[in-house]
Amino acid sequence: MSPSALGELLSVFEENFRTRGELGASVSVWWRGEEILSTAQGWCEKEQLRPWTADTLVPVYSATKGPSAATLLLALDAKGFGPDTPVREIWPGFPVGEATFAHLLSHQCGLAALDRRAQVWDHEEVVAAIEAQVPAWRPGQGHGYHPRTFGALVEEPVRRLTGKTLGALWREKIAEPLGLEFWIGLPEAQWSRVAKLYPGKAAAEDLQSGFYREFNTEGTLSRRAFGSPRGLHSVQEMNDPKAWSSGLPAMGGVGTASALAKFYQAAIGAIESPLNEKVRHALGDMQVSGDDKVLIQPTAFSCGCQLDPLDASGRKIRELYGPSTSAFGHPGAGGSHALGDPESGVSFAYVMNQMELSVLPGRKSVDMVQALFS
C-alpha cells in the first residue's frame, strides 16, 4: 500500500470538511492485518459540544448487513448447514419453498415489501407478516434489495439455530473475539459515545432520478420496500437510544470506522478470526447480478454483501469497491461505507454524521476509495 495513496485519501477526507459539508467523520484503512490509517475530525453535533474522535460511535444503517450476514452464516456453519441449505429446513413457515439461504441473503426471495402491517420493533409481528406474504418474485426471477425486511429474515434463523438474538451472537462469536467496537444492540453504557445524525437534503434533480422517482411515488415496490416493516423512518428516530439498543440486523448497527474495517479484514481472511473459509467465501462470492427491482439500477450481491456489477465483458460498470472484481462490502443509507478486497488485502471503512441523500455511496466516500486504489 503506497504512502501516496494514503495521502490522496487524506486529502479527500479533508476536502469533505472544506467543501462538502462534512460535520464529523472517521476513516480507517487496514492492510494485511494492520491498521495503517485511522483518522477522525469534526464534531458529534452541530453545537460543537463533543469533538469527533476515532472512538466516536455512530449508527451506520445498512452497513450493518455485512456483519449480520456473517453472524447467520457462522450460526449455520456451526450446525453443519450452509448457503445451499433450504430455508424451510430451519424455518418451516418461510413462504418461499424453493429458497436456500444463498437466495435469502442475496435478495432473491421477493419479500422486500410486506402487505401485512408490522412494526419494526416487534420481531414476532414482522415474522408473521413475512410468513403470510406472497413473494413478489421467486429465486431465478431476478433480485431486488430488501432494505428493511432483511433484518427479520436473518434474525429469525439465528434465533431458531441458537436460541439467541443475532446481536448477542454477533458480540459473542465475532465482535468480542476480534475486539470490535461495533454493536447490533448497543448497551446503555456506550450511549454517551454516540454522535448525532443529521439528514441529507434533496436537490430537485435527485428527486427525478430513477430510484427517487419510484421512492416518491405511492404504491411502487421501491416505496413499499423502504416502508415495511413500519417505524424508524426518520433520522430523528435513529438518534433515539431505542434505535441503538434495539438490535435491528438490517440497519441498527452502531460502531466505529476502525471496527468495520477490521471486520472486513476478517471477512477477506487477512487476519485470524472466527470466520472460516466457507463463511468468507459466502460473504465474497457473487450470487446474483443485474437490474435491481427495488433500487432501479444494476446491483450485485453475495450472501449478505454487495459487489460492483459487471457488464457483458466482465468489466465493472462502477467502482464503489475499488478496481478488483473480488472486492465486496456494504454501504449504509446517507453515506457510511465499508469494504474488503481479498486481492490486495485492503479493507476500508468510513462513517459520518452529516448524511447525504443516497442509497449507494456518494462522492465523499467513493473519492476516498478511488484514491486508496490509485
Side-chain angles (χ1 to χ4, degrees):
M1 177 55 57
S2 72
S4 62
L6 294 178
E8 285 295 317
L9 186 156
L10 280 171
S11 294
V12 175
F13 182 76
E14 291 162 2
E15 183 68 20
N16 289 341
F17 284 89
R18 286 195 296 269
T19 65
R20 290 170 166 168
E22 198 77 280
L23 176 59
S26 307
V27 64
S28 172
V29 177
W30 288 66
W31 183 46
R32 298 177 180 173
E34 294 186 14
E35 189 172 32
I36 59 172
L37 176 70
S38 176
T39 191
Q41 190 173 317
W43 299 92
C44 292
E45 57 280 301
K46 288 184 176 179
E47 295 80 8
Q48 299 188 358
L49 303 175
R50 297 173 294 161
W52 186 294
T53 73
D55 294 325
T56 295
L57 303 177
V58 68
V60 298
Y61 282 89
S62 286
T64 313
K65 287 185 169 74
S68 293
T71 306
L72 172 55
L73 289 165
L74 204 60
L76 287 166
D77 186 68
K79 300 287 188 179
F81 302 117
D84 293 334
T85 299
V87 179
R88 280 189 178 171
E89 197 164 326
I90 311 301
W91 181 357
F94 192 70
V96 189
E98 68 271 37
T100 65
F101 280 98
H103 294 134
L104 182 151
L105 286 164
S106 57
H107 305 271
Q108 296 188 65
C109 290
L111 301 170
L114 301 176
D115 294 326
R116 180 184 291 187
R117 289 194 173 197
Q119 290 295 319
V120 71
W121 313 107
D122 189 331
H123 174 71
E124 287 73 21
E125 190 175 60
V126 178
V127 167
I130 288 171
E131 292 181 344
Q133 184 63 39
V134 175
W137 66 89
R138 291 184 173 273
Q141 298 176 348
H143 72 284
Y145 183 52
H146 291 46
R148 295 166 67 87
T149 58
F150 186 90
L153 291 173
V154 294
E155 176 82 45
E156 181 65 10
V158 167
R159 292 189 183 191
R160 288 173 175 266
L161 286 161
T162 70
K164 300 175 182 177
T165 66
L166 186 145
L169 195 69
W170 156 258
R171 289 303 303 170
E172 177 189 334
K173 298 296 186 181
I174 303 175
E176 289 179 0
L178 290 174
L180 303 183
E181 296 253 90
F182 190 91
W183 288 265
I184 305 171
L186 188 69
E188 187 173 356
Q190 306 295 336
W191 290 359
S192 63
R193 298 172 57 191
V194 182
K196 184 176 182 180
L197 290 173
Y198 295 87
K201 294 181 180 179
E205 58 270 22
D206 293 329
L207 299 179
Q208 300 308 310
S209 68
F211 167 74
Y212 282 104
R213 185 174 61 248
E214 291 291 299
F215 178 76
N216 286 293
T217 301
E218 194 67 41
T220 62
L221 177 61
S222 299
R223 186 175 181 91
R224 292 175 57 238
F226 279 85
S228 58
R230 300 167 66 85
L232 202 57
H233 295 298
S234 73
V235 173
Q236 182 178 351
E237 288 179 278
M238 191 60 86
N239 287 323
D240 189 323
K242 180 181 179 182
W244 313 334
S245 60
S246 60
L248 299 172
M251 58 183 182
V254 182
T256 67
S258 181
L260 267 178
K262 189 176 182 182
F263 164 75
Y264 279 100
Q265 280 286 281
I268 64 174
I271 57 175
E272 287 192 22
S273 83
L275 305 183
N276 62 37
E277 187 175 7
K278 287 189 290 184
V279 170
R280 297 197 305 270
H281 278 215
L283 288 171
D285 290 351
M286 186 183 294
Q287 293 288 333
V288 67
S289 181
D291 291 334
D292 191 300
K293 300 174 186 291
V294 172
L295 296 183
I296 319 299
Q297 57 190 299
T299 58
F301 291 96
S302 65
C303 288
C305 289
Q306 210 178 87
L307 302 91
D308 289 318
L310 310 176
D311 64 18
S313 64
R315 296 191 187 93
K316 288 192 168 194
I317 67 171
R318 57 177 179 257
E319 290 191 4
L320 303 183
Y321 299 98
S324 170
T325 55
S326 63
F328 61 95
H330 213 292
S336 294
H337 192 26
L339 64 90
D341 175 15
E343 189 175 309
S344 66
V346 168
S347 62
F348 161 94
Y350 157 79
V351 301
M352 77 302 127
N353 61 343
Q354 177 55 65
M355 299 170 67
E356 300 176 293
L357 189 74
S358 61
V359 290
L360 293 178
R363 298 316 314 174
K364 288 194 294 183
S365 63
V366 173
D367 285 356
M368 283 191 281
V369 172
Q370 290 178 344
L372 181 60
F373 291 103
S374 62

